[in-house]
Amino acid sequence: MASRHTPAAIVGMAVLLPGAPGLDAYWRNLRDGLDAIRDAPADRWDADYYRPGSAAGPAVADQVYCRRGGFVDGLAEVDVTRYGIMPASVPGTEPDQLIALDVAAAALADAGGAQRLPARDRIGVALGRGGYLTPGLVRLDQRVRTAGQLTRILGELLPGLADGQLARIRAAFTERLGPDSPESAIGLVPNLAASRIANRLDLRGPAYTVDAACASSLVAVDQAVTELSTGRCDLMLAGGVHHCHDITLWSVFAQLRALSPTERVRPFHRDADGILIGEGTGVVVLKRLADAQRDGDRVYAVIRGTGVASDGRTAGLAAPDPGGQTRAVRQAWRAAGLDPAAPDSLGLLEAHGTATPAGDTAELATLAEVFGPADGSHLRPVLGSVKSMIGHAMPAAGVAGLVKAALALHHGTLLPTLHCEDPHPALAATRFRTLARSRPWETDARQPVRRAAVNAFGFGGINAHVVLEEAPGARAIPRTHSGPASVREPVPTPMPARATAPARVPTPAPAHVPVPAPARATAPAPACPTVPAPARPT
């Protein structure tokens, strides 16, 4: 929006990201420069799809040349009974819905818990989520469509098979997909990622999902700020969720040649050659700054302005355009009432930074255009990309960057970007620099206010930008703690009464997408109460 924004305070945050089961761990990883990238776990997708070196040849749908990325295996466990969800319904539910619910509850607890909430009908949820093929839908499609195709083809190729034999083959195939529970089909509806949060936490304001590709979570933040500015809501949960490592998604990006053939993610490096796919969930709790100050809330950072714009007509949907990016960035700074080209405008910019040659080149051109060219000044803002540590979390990428920037402001620390030893030549034409190690974020008379910004530029030309500033009076906050939660102990948000089975139930891992032979279909997820963490096609 072009008009001046009502400043919004980030009063609570929570994440589940590669290497980080929670906010404190994420902060330590950011501060210490932890690389959470690793090989895809064995049960994510069939290793036969991996053909290293195949990027040099023609694209083939059932071959991927990269298997490294960011994964949350072993970290994602949700005690579903805490939210009044029975374990028997877990196998038919999309894992990202349960993870988003758990992270949202943690964000509210971080904001002080139920006793600090306004009226429930004044609380809303805006969640970025992609329209990718998700685990539960994969299983349903296999049960409905693939099983029928399999038996028909076998019947045509092997006409000697009796109907009873074909029926047994179909039954064996579908049995490996896990139990069939029609009542859990509601758990496959995409918008329930937000609606389940509102339902289980009894939040009665607007609750909806946003799909704006890689810009989704920052577009959700923009919507949340608008809900606060118009007065419709007094508190908003905003963020993004992405737990989709289905082999089909990997195939799409392999065919686009967007994955790194060297299997390294190096944002803004001279030799950057592509993305590594990541996953994760992040939620921030927002209030109008004036309300947060009135209520005595702990404020991580203040959102001064947001901007959203599309590229319009370009040479192609896959080509990033500095023009559209520039419009979004300028819009956010106008909303903040600030000049991005001023020498003291900001100290940190968390970039989209995907590490694709075209993407990095376009983004650096945008930064030079909006923030001005290199001028020899010692006031050189830091350019970062958390994708160098966790991979590209798609719809959740923007909120991962937003939380990083808010933590940097809160702790007064400039944070590193990994693997940028030899920077992209175009970086020299900007005001920005990268850091290999964290360092204190010093201020002085020439740059008295800590300010940061975050980019999220979506595939297809949708761009979002957020301008952040340190909280008023932040200098009085002790910075000796290892994580923000110790500023004030969070009070857990009261939840519905527990069901009778309080065992901790990890979020479910869907079955693999099988290769076109029934013997390769994978075994179903184990029965509750022990269900694998959200692995495989999530």
Side-chain angles (χ1 to χ4, degrees):
M1 68 198 298
S3 59
R4 288 287 293 272
H5 275 189
T6 300
I10 300 175
V11 298
M13 301 193 292
V15 299
L16 172 68
L17 292 165
L23 196 62
D24 283 357
Y26 189 47
W27 166 246
R28 290 192 296 271
N29 295 349
L30 292 169
R31 181 195 61 200
D32 299 341
L34 177 77
D35 190 341
I37 298 297
R38 59 193 178 97
D39 286 352
D43 58 357
R44 282 298 179 123
W45 38 262
D46 197 320
D48 286 351
Y49 290 118
Y50 177 55
R51 304 291 176 84
S54 62
V60 179
D62 62 352
Q63 295 181 8
V64 297
Y65 54 85
C66 176
R67 65 178 177 185
R68 289 179 61 74
F71 307 91
V72 299
D73 296 63
L75 302 179
E77 289 192 335
V78 178
D79 181 3
V80 296
T81 59
R82 179 186 179 212
Y83 307 107
I85 299 172
M86 295 305 296
S89 68
V90 168
T93 300
E94 296 290 13
D96 66 351
Q97 293 184 17
L98 302 177
I99 292 171
L101 170 61
D102 202 49
V103 173
L108 286 177
D110 187 57
Q115 72 275 16
R116 300 188 71 87
L117 295 180
R120 298 294 175 127
D121 61 353
R122 305 285 297 170
I123 305 172
V125 183
L127 195 67
R129 182 188 189 273
Y132 306 112
L133 192 64
T134 45
L137 288 176
V138 169
R139 288 194 298 270
L140 182 61
D141 186 67
Q142 290 175 303
R143 190 180 301 279
V144 172
R145 189 196 311 269
T146 309
Q149 292 172 337
L150 171 66
T151 52
R152 281 195 299 272
I153 292 171
L154 285 175
E156 292 169 3
L157 295 177
L158 302 171
L161 289 175
D163 289 346
Q165 291 173 305
L166 291 173
R168 287 198 298 275
I169 291 171
R170 179 169 185 154
F173 178 85
T174 56
E175 182 183 358
R176 296 190 181 197
L177 299 175
D180 183 16
S181 50
E183 69 278 2
S184 67
I186 191 171
L188 307 179
V189 179
N191 72 290
L192 286 192
S195 298
R196 191 182 292 273
I197 293 172
N199 178 276
R200 291 294 83 201
L201 303 186
D202 193 24
L203 312 178
R204 302 170 191 171
Y208 51 89
T209 57
V210 174
D211 185 356
C214 316
S216 295
S217 53
L218 285 199
V219 173
V221 169
D222 173 78
Q223 291 294 304
V225 170
T226 300
E227 299 281 3
L228 295 172
S229 295
T230 61
R232 178 181 295 170
C233 292
D234 295 327
L235 185 144
M236 285 292 298
L237 281 73
V241 56
H242 178 69
H243 296 276
C244 179
H245 274 293
D246 183 81
I247 189 60
T248 308
L249 177 69
W250 284 64
S251 175
V252 168
F253 285 93
Q255 290 184 76
L256 291 170
R257 295 302 191 245
L259 301 179
S260 166
T262 59
E263 303 191 67
R264 301 178 64 197
V265 57
R266 295 176 287 178
F268 304 114
H269 190 283
R270 181 185 299 269
D271 298 320
D273 60 1
I275 72 169
L276 296 183
I277 298 177
E279 66 181 330
T281 295
V283 174
V284 296
V285 181
L286 306 179
K287 295 174 70 172
R288 288 180 289 273
L289 176 60
D291 293 350
Q293 291 175 313
R294 176 200 66 203
D295 297 339
D297 293 321
R298 180 262 322 277
V299 176
Y300 287 107
V302 177
I303 296 177
R304 292 288 305 273
T306 63
V308 178
S310 291
D311 289 350
R313 181 180 297 169
T314 60
L317 281 170
D321 176 53
Q325 297 174 6
T326 296
R327 284 188 290 276
V329 176
R330 290 194 189 283
Q331 187 183 114
W333 285 81
R334 283 197 302 272
L338 297 167
D339 178 9
D344 64 345
S345 60
L346 81 169
L348 170 68
L349 194 148
E350 175 62 14
H352 190 51
T354 58
T356 63
D360 284 2
T361 299
E363 187 166 14
L364 290 170
T366 296
L367 301 186
E369 172 66 23
V370 176
F371 296 95
D375 59 5
S377 169
H378 78 288
L379 295 175
R380 296 193 65 196
V382 169
L383 183 66
S385 174
V386 74
K387 294 176 181 67
S388 68
M389 301 179 185
I390 64 171
H392 189 353
M394 305 290 180
V399 73
L402 180 71
V403 173
K404 172 187 172 181
L407 288 172
L409 288 165
H410 184 68
H411 289 280
T413 304
L414 293 169
L415 298 169
T417 289
L418 306 185
H419 317 308
C420 193
E421 303 84 4
D422 187 6
H424 192 296
L427 181 64
T430 75
R431 290 167 50 192
F432 295 89
R433 61 194 169 105
T434 59
L435 288 181
R437 290 179 296 277
S438 59
R439 53 170 291 181
W441 191 339
E442 305 290 353
T443 59
D444 57 28
R446 290 164 294 184
Q447 199 169 47
V449 177
R450 295 187 182 97
R451 194 174 294 123
V454 186
N455 285 339
F457 300 149
F459 195 74
I462 173 68
N463 310 293
H465 185 80
V466 174
V467 180
L468 296 170
E469 195 168 278
E470 66 181 338
R475 307 307 168 85
I477 297 176
R479 302 186 186 277
T480 57
H481 56 280
S482 63
S486 60
V487 174
R488 184 183 68 220
E489 286 299 317
V491 181
T493 304
M495 300 299 165
R498 279 185 176 273
T500 56
R504 193 163 180 81
V505 182
T507 51
H512 292 181
V513 178
V515 296
R520 300 307 295 273
T522 59
C528 290
T530 304
V531 183
R536 301 180 286 240
T538 84

